[in-house]
Amino acid sequence: MSGGVDSSVAAYLIKSLGYETAGITLKLFDNDDIDISREKTCCSLDDIEDARSVCARLEIPYYVLNFKDSFKSTVISRFIAAYENGFTPNPCIDCNRFIKFEKLVKRADELGFDYVVTGHYAQIERDEITGRYLLKKAVDQSKDQSYVLYSLTQAQLAKTLFPLGSLTKDKTRETAEKLGFINAHKRDSQDICFVPDGDYAAFIERYTGKTYPNGDFVDESGKILGEHKGIIRYTIGQRKGLGLALPCPMYVKEKNLDENKVILCENSALFSRELYASDINLISAERLEKPARVKARVRYNQKEQPATVEQLDNNTLRVVFDEPQRAICRGQAVVLYDGDYVVGGGTIVDKPKQK
């Protein structure tokens, strides 16, 4: 329970079904550790008190579990390492993968609970023919969160419930209001919890104590166009914030870490049809035995695009889109769909080197 309306209504719904229920808030970091005032983050004392208030109204026990060390090693450190190595990470996926649906599911099992219940908008079904658990989009597709849940394993899906998957967000708020929850009209959190101001580079510099040196902006031919302010400050497809006066709009195409250069291009050069993904997780099948038609998404808010996927080995997918896609970023997730069902996904990486 984050203190928000979604997890609060999820707790009410699951208790209403007759389950013995307890509320859990995860302590993921101290605000002093990330140099942010507590009022700005989802781990504030106000959020904990909101969650505690809901649990008191529901007459269920409430606990705060300290997962700070795990969050630091599996989410924050991975986030920083990704930027330092030229990738664009998605820490919410890592948090779901390593914290909520690995460490928390394990802890729940140790404590004797049958399920972990969250306020995610997604659905879980079981295929009676194959016996596999399936991840399906939420009924309210404007709030669907299946993209950030693609890493759930069969064991984790079997131990997880998403009561909000069949509700609209409006219905969730209406339910909370009827129940008199203190957070019925609390706004949704939009930012990464440990970087609430959105300034990733400033956070990394504060957290690591490092400075990242200036270098050259260059075009695709190597011509110097100006000076950048540290390579971690730029992401693929970025145009704003470059601080350059150029004769035509230019965008970040790639980053050369060895030479500390940021390569710029015109918009047309940002498009590509092919990507490779590693660290994969498949949900609908144990393995893709042959190329399959899917719809694929390479960022959270993107509409799925028609593509063909092929599994090259136990940990590599090759995805070829019907139409070129703009600004595919290493480090982001590609998630594959068959209709409303998640086939699986992985982390976008460089093209594998020929052996």
Side-chain angles (χ1 to χ4, degrees), residues 83 85-89 231-240 242 250-257 261-265 267 269-272 299 325-332 348 350:
Y83 269 108
N85 287 283
F87 289 71
T88 303
I231 210 160
I232 64 168
R233 298 183 183 279
Y234 307 96
T235 57
I236 306 305
Q238 179 179 337
R239 177 187 174 189
K240 294 182 179 179
L242 301 182
M250 298 192 78
Y251 305 80
V252 176
K253 181 180 182 181
E254 59 182 292
K255 297 184 280 187
N256 184 330
L257 274 70
K261 292 179 179 179
V262 176
I263 296 93
L264 305 183
C265 67
N267 187 60
L270 285 174
F271 288 80
S272 54
R299 57 184 61 88
Q325 302 299 302
R326 185 182 185 277
I328 296 174
C329 296
R330 298 182 308 153
Q332 289 284 288
I348 300 169
D350 289 321

Side-chain angles (χ1 to χ4, degrees), residues 188-205:
D188 293 338
S189 176
Q190 299 293 329
D191 300 303
I192 294 171
C193 63
F194 56 91
V195 195
D197 61 0
D199 192 340
Y200 307 143
F203 164 76
I204 292 171
E205 289 179 334

Side-chain angles (χ1 to χ4, degrees), residues 6 31 42 66 79-80 104 166 180 193 203 242 264 338-340:
D6 294 328
N31 294 287
C42 69
N66 185 345
F79 174 85
I80 293 170
L104 181 57
S166 59
C193 63
F203 164 76
L242 301 182
L264 305 183
D338 180 5
D340 286 340

